[in-house]
Amino acid sequence: MKTARFTPLKYSIIAVVLAIAAPWCVQAQQESTQRFKDVSVAEAEGYALQFGCVSGPDSGAMGLHFVNLPLVAATSSGASPLDARRPQIVIYEPTPGGRLQLIGADYLVLADAWNTAHGGSPPELMGQLFHYFEAPNRFGLPAFYTLHVWAWKDNPNGAFVNWHPNVSCTAFAGQAP
């Protein structure tokens, strides 16, 4: 059996390809979620605030998750395909002035329903594999797969990681806008 050896040049080529692809994915995400800059548009499309403002003790925050529950169910079961233009969740950061700033989207499917509908293959969107959260979890959800896309606020840790070190929940007053 012959195995491929990666040289520094091959690693450099892979890094360049990834550096080119990630901004393209984020730009495509910005175009497909532009309409959600106004939270009232998200609400009119069936999104509602869930979980309060999600923050972590040492990893930054995720912000306010506006979830479209029927879309989560439809996509999880395979009744609706994953679509970059229709995220299950849109994410906002509360600002000191009381408005909400769109910072990204989150694609979320329930693991059991997804695995049943898709033969156990994990979900993937824009070439990115979803992260798996097992149950029990801090959200009180059954096991799920998720992919955060920080399309509207640059994340120094990457566009597709769960936590954003520069997002804050400090201005969240605890009520739905």
Side-chain angles (χ1 to χ4, degrees):
M1 174 186 232
K2 190 173 185 177
T3 59
R5 293 187 64 191
F6 283 95
T7 64
L9 176 60
K10 289 180 183 175
Y11 281 120
S12 296
I13 291 170
I14 291 169
V16 167
V17 168
L18 291 174
I20 291 169
W24 175 84
C25 292
V26 169
Q27 182 179 5
Q29 178 62 37
Q30 285 178 333
E31 291 170 7
S32 65
T33 58
Q34 172 90 20
R35 69 190 185 279
F36 296 127
K37 283 185 136 183
D38 181 346
V39 71
S40 67
V41 171
E43 292 172 324
E45 289 190 27
Y47 294 83
L49 180 61
Q50 302 287 324
F51 317 119
C53 195
V54 180
S55 62
D58 61 357
S59 303
M62 292 182 190
L64 298 164
H65 289 59
F66 280 71
V67 182
N68 185 317
L69 291 172
L71 187 56
V72 170
T75 309
S76 297
S77 69
S80 178
L82 281 171
D83 182 346
R85 295 166 299 182
R86 295 191 63 208
Q88 289 71 33
I89 302 170
V90 286
I91 308 170
Y92 296 88
E93 181 175 25
T95 66
R99 26 173 235 102
L100 299 181
Q101 178 181 339
L102 178 65
I103 57 175
D106 185 8
Y107 298 84
L108 183 140
V109 295
L110 302 177
D112 287 347
W114 176 270
N115 291 336
T116 298
H118 297 90
S121 297
E124 180 180 334
L125 184 66
M126 300 180 296
Q128 298 295 317
L129 285 174
F130 283 41
H131 302 272
Y132 177 74
F133 273 71
E134 54 189 22
N137 53 63
R138 70 185 284 177
F139 307 106
L141 295 173
F144 64 94
Y145 294 103
T146 183
L147 178 67
H148 285 82
V149 182
W150 301 107
W152 293 98
K153 185 167 186 168
D154 187 42
N155 187 331
N157 295 330
F160 304 104
V161 299
N162 288 326
W163 296 96
H164 196 308
N166 299 328
V167 169
S168 172
C169 289
T170 303
F172 179 59
Q175 77 279 353

